């Protein structure tokens, strides 16, 4: 193990807000809505929720420490200079990531992305995405997240949302 791994793990254990700061800077909450066709020819939609934390390959040990601290997720090499820690499993999101971010909240507009992401994950767990109304609500939430929100950040500040 890289000696820096132990330094990062010590930081995570003794100052968990450090992870929230890392997520604020390098994390991403993604919602995917994908149309599928069953073997019987019936169309349906799948909603995926994925948390990403990407860093330069030199900092792979940081992602290893985050994975071990949260007790979930996978690390993928995304090219010669980029790697990503990802949590896709709904149980892992709700059991590990959500409790951390509720206890040590994010700041700025990414906090709003997290709240939307969590809302979609909750809707999926309640099977609301299986109704036309629920699916449309998820699409509306997705359309306002991440870069779309950044364009309207000042509006959110003025409304007191952050």
């Amino acid at each position: 193990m890289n000696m820096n791994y132990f330094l990062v793990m010590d930081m995570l254990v003794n100052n968990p807000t450090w992870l929230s700061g890392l997520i604020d800077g390098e994390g991403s909450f993604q919602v995917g809505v994908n149309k599928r066709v069953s073997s019987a020819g019936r169309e349906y939609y799948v909603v995926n929720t994925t948390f990403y934390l990407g860093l330069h390959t030199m900092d792979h040990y940081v992602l290893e420490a985050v994975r071990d601290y949260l007790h979930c997720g996978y690390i993928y090499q995304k090219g010669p200079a980029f790697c990503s820690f990802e949590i896709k499993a709904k149980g892992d999101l709700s059991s590990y990531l959500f409790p951390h971010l509720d206890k040590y909240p994010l700041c700025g507009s990414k906090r709003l992305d997290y709240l939307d992401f969590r809302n979609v994950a909750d809707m999926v767990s309640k099977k609301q995405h299986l109704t036309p109304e629920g699916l449309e609500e998820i699409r509306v939430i997705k359309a306002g997240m991440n870069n779309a929100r950044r364009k309207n950040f000042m509006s959110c500040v003025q409304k007191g949302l952050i």
Side-chain angles (χ1 to χ4, degrees):
M1 276 273 153
N2 182 327
M3 187 59 170
N4 291 330
Y5 166 90
F6 297 105
L7 295 171
V8 172
M9 185 57 83
D10 184 61
M11 178 70 76
L12 290 167
V13 169
N14 292 311
N15 186 9
T17 57
W18 184 86
L19 175 56
S20 296
L22 181 64
I23 292 169
D24 248 334
E26 304 298 336
S28 178
F29 301 97
Q30 298 294 319
V31 173
V33 178
N34 303 297
K35 184 171 28 172
R36 301 278 193 255
V37 178
S38 71
S39 58
R42 184 174 166 260
E43 291 182 354
Y44 65 98
Y45 290 88
V46 175
V47 177
N48 297 306
T49 50
T50 306
F51 165 72
Y52 296 92
L53 181 62
L55 295 175
H56 192 279
T57 302
M58 290 184 335
D59 298 323
H60 190 272
Y61 65 91
V62 173
L63 300 180
E64 290 174 353
V66 169
R67 179 197 57 209
D68 295 348
Y69 174 76
L70 290 174
H71 307 290
C72 66
Y74 296 93
I75 299 171
Y76 300 98
Q77 190 71 35
K78 298 286 189 171
F82 185 76
C83 52
S84 177
F85 169 71
E86 301 176 13
I87 304 174
K88 296 179 183 181
K90 289 163 186 36
D92 288 345
L93 290 168
S94 62
S95 296
Y96 302 107
L97 183 65
F98 294 169
H100 174 85
L101 293 176
D102 290 343
K103 187 170 183 179
Y104 308 102
L106 301 173
C107 301
S109 65
K110 196 158 292 185
R111 176 176 171 268
L112 299 175
D113 289 335
Y114 164 66
L115 294 173
D116 282 345
F117 179 82
R118 184 178 178 142
N119 184 24
V120 169
D122 289 344
M123 291 175 70
V124 170
S125 74
K126 295 174 184 171
K127 310 277 188 216
Q128 293 174 340
H129 67 295
L130 300 176
T131 68
E133 300 81 15
L135 188 60
E136 183 58 28
E137 185 177 347
I138 289 171
R139 284 186 171 133
V140 168
I141 292 168
K142 176 184 173 0
M145 290 176 65
N146 300 316
N147 288 337
R149 173 166 285 123
R150 306 258 176 317
K151 293 175 185 173
N152 298 312
F153 179 71
M154 287 311 297
S155 173
C156 293
V157 170
Q158 291 167 348
K159 292 176 184 174
L161 297 174
I162 51 175

